[in-house]
Amino acid sequence: MLSRVLPKLTDIHTVVFDFDGVFTDNKVWVDQDGRESVRCDRGDGLAFDIVRTFQRQGKLKANFFILSKESNPVVLARSKKLKLDCQHGVGDKLLFMTEYFATRDFGDISPFSGLIYLGNDLNDFSIMKRAGFSVAPSDAHPAICNIADLVMPQRGGDGFVRAFIELLLGINNFSKEELDELVSNR
């Protein structure tokens, strides 16, 4: 459900993703030695290839990265596979983003106005309230769904990230030729 209009690509400078419940289905497998594994959607990889194509073409200048409370190596492994920067082990996401933005120049506008944040749980609440635009999967905590600017029909880890990226980039409005060129030239 879209309660606000998506920002224009030119108005976005940062897109940040929580990890668990966004890239994953929020479940974890733990083996007898304590090693954890999670389930992610392979389609996210192509979505980020398309993002990088848009960036190379100058159609998108935003930075994309993962911001996770988890310090588990699985977060780093997945971010490396997706070629995404990752900040992990971050307990206070709002404080982190405030400090991150303090090192950048956004002119006279609030740095948070150009931020899109994708999250699903209560530890994302404060940053989602401050973000210029916030997005949640359909299975997010009810309090998160209530404040999100957009609640996608997909569940976390079930095509949610890819569906959002395709929506953001307007992929559904592309012709067959444009789609072919987009995925052929990555």
Side-chain angles (χ1 to χ4, degrees):
M1 175 175 126
L2 188 59
S3 58
R4 287 185 46 213
V5 176
L6 274 169
K8 295 181 214 169
L9 294 182
T10 55
D11 293 338
I12 303 164
H13 56 69
T14 310
V15 180
V16 177
F17 303 84
D18 179 28
F19 186 75
D20 288 319
V22 171
F23 283 95
T24 77
D25 61 3
N26 220 16
K27 306 285 190 251
V28 63
W29 290 282
V30 182
D31 72 12
Q32 67 273 11
D33 298 319
R35 288 183 300 246
E36 294 184 6
S37 297
V38 297
R39 178 183 157 269
C40 298
D41 193 302
R42 279 208 178 279
D44 295 342
L46 181 58
F48 287 105
D49 287 348
I50 293 170
V51 163
R52 284 185 282 278
T53 297
F54 267 64
Q55 289 170 327
R56 278 193 307 277
Q57 294 173 344
K59 297 177 184 175
L60 179 64
K61 297 186 189 299
N63 294 316
F64 285 68
F65 64 90
I66 294 171
L67 181 61
S68 178
K69 184 177 180 193
E70 280 293 319
S71 57
N72 192 312
V74 73
V75 179
L76 289 176
R78 187 65 181 150
S79 66
K80 182 178 179 182
K81 176 83 175 175
L82 295 173
K83 300 177 188 156
L84 277 177
D85 287 336
C86 178
Q87 300 296 325
H88 65 107
V90 177
D92 187 335
K93 295 177 181 183
L94 180 57
L95 176 62
F96 176 89
M97 290 307 301
T98 301
E99 292 172 352
Y100 174 85
F101 287 148
T103 65
R104 286 152 180 80
D105 182 19
F106 298 102
D108 294 335
I109 65 164
S110 163
F112 284 94
S113 66
L115 169 66
I116 294 179
Y117 187 89
L118 291 85
N120 75 306
D121 213 339
L122 294 176
N123 63 331
D124 300 310
F125 191 88
S126 61
I127 187 72
M128 289 180 77
K129 282 182 50 178
R130 286 288 306 276
F133 197 85
S134 59
V135 185
S138 62
D139 61 339
H141 189 282
I144 295 299
C145 290
N146 286 336
I147 65 164
D149 295 305
L150 171 62
V151 177
M152 299 286 291
Q154 294 80 11
R155 297 171 61 83
D158 197 20
F160 165 64
V161 170
R162 172 136 177 208
F164 171 73
I165 289 173
E166 289 184 2
L167 178 68
L168 178 68
L169 301 179
I171 300 297
N172 292 339
N173 299 322
F174 281 35
S175 68
K176 292 176 188 175
E177 293 78 19
E178 289 171 318
L179 282 174
D180 183 45
E181 183 177 325
L182 185 64
V183 296
S184 298
N185 294 326
R186 53 185 186 111

